[in-house]
Amino acid sequence: MGKLYIVPTPIGNLEDITLRAIRVLKEVDLILAEDTRTSGKLLHHYNIDTPMQSHHMHNEHKTVEGIVRRLQSGENVALISDAGTPAISDPGFLLTRACVENNIEVDCLPGATAFVPALVNSGLPNDKFVFEGFLPVKKGRQTRLTLLAEEPRTIIFYESPHKLVKTLSHFEAYFGAERLVSVSRELSKMYEETIRGTVKEVLQHYTDNPPKGEIVIVVAGKK
């Protein structure tokens, strides 16, 4: 029986990968990559020539069965995403669950993920928090925000740059203009920045300065 390795990859700076992760990616029989073109740059940087196969949200339902068979035949497989830890708002859950159901060993390596540094550098309480990932785009969004308005723990969201202003405006409506918020973007990259303040202040900043890059929003819980 083979083993499935869940391998975190850098969220920006290519140096943010562990020595163990590099070794595993070199030793496995196959690497499952969310986007083989994106991952190819990382593998080339570290002289890793292990074969890759595409595994993303649009095909994972179809590929899981075949991957499980390969693992059962004795092959070792590594799963990576474009950035960060697989299965955190990325593909990975379905394959992990299938391996657990088939008694295939799963080894998740520790490593990069975007929400941890965003939470720590937000200055907001981090002893208890809720990770929400991406909010529903349409259906269920209002219901979710209404529930979260009463959440006492710090709340973490992922968001795309072109939806950030809209999401902050929703926070103003549901959480209140004075709720504290921290927005981190381009973590570990050259233009990394974190903007902290009230929802009203941060909304105004990004209304005046349209954002780019990957974004993590950290919102204070209700007092």
Side-chain angles (χ1 to χ4, degrees):
M1 191 81 79
K3 181 189 290 189
L4 174 67
Y5 293 92
I6 309 295
V7 182
T9 54
I11 60 174
N13 192 316
L14 291 182
E15 294 179 355
D16 294 336
I17 189 169
T18 67
L19 296 175
R20 181 182 173 205
I22 295 171
R23 176 180 60 79
V24 167
L25 293 175
K26 288 183 176 181
E27 292 179 352
V28 294
D29 300 293
L30 175 68
I31 295 173
L32 302 174
E34 186 177 3
D35 186 325
T36 55
R37 294 165 299 180
T38 299
S39 297
K41 298 174 184 177
L42 175 69
L43 301 189
H44 176 75
H45 184 79
Y46 286 104
N47 298 312
I48 300 169
D49 57 7
T50 305
M52 279 193 294
Q53 177 179 316
S54 179
H55 182 83
H56 49 73
M57 62 181 294
H58 301 295
N59 74 355
E60 58 179 335
H61 288 274
K62 301 176 182 178
T63 59
V64 164
E65 186 176 337
I67 296 165
V68 167
R69 285 198 299 268
R70 295 184 68 162
L71 287 158
Q72 288 173 327
S73 72
E75 291 188 49
N76 291 316
V77 176
L79 173 67
I80 60 177
S81 64
D82 287 347
T85 300
I88 304 296
S89 295
D90 279 323
F93 165 69
L94 293 179
L95 180 57
T96 301
R97 181 178 64 182
C99 288
V100 170
E101 291 173 346
N102 286 275
N103 296 314
I104 297 169
E105 186 176 355
V106 178
D107 190 351
C108 182
L109 279 61
T113 190
F115 78 80
V116 173
L119 172 63
V120 173
N121 74 25
S122 71
L124 297 173
N126 55 31
D127 55 332
K128 295 179 181 179
F129 60 89
V130 179
F131 176 72
E132 283 290 316
F134 290 95
L135 281 166
V137 176
K138 292 182 180 179
K139 186 178 180 181
R141 188 180 183 92
Q142 180 177 347
T143 301
R144 195 76 208 140
L145 287 170
T146 300
L147 290 171
L148 290 172
E150 301 301 316
E151 173 59 60
R153 295 167 292 185
T154 300
I155 315 166
I156 305 168
F157 301 91
Y158 285 165
E159 191 53 279
S160 60
H162 67 279
K163 294 179 181 176
L164 177 61
V165 168
K166 180 180 178 180
T167 295
L168 289 172
S169 67
H170 287 165
F171 289 173
E172 186 175 38
Y174 286 89
F175 301 161
E178 299 306 310
R179 185 78 71 96
L180 293 178
V181 64
S182 173
V183 174
S184 294
R185 67 176 192 87
E186 294 291 83
L187 286 164
S188 84
K189 300 178 184 177
M190 182 181 297
Y191 298 107
E192 173 181 345
E193 73 168 9
T194 295
I195 302 297
R196 308 173 184 86
T198 65
V199 170
K200 182 179 180 179
E201 291 168 341
V202 176
L203 172 58
Q204 186 62 56
H205 172 82
Y206 283 112
T207 300
D208 297 337
N209 303 277
K212 296 180 180 180
E214 301 297 322
I215 291 169
V216 184
I217 311 172
V218 183
V219 183
K222 182 179 180 181
K223 294 183 178 179

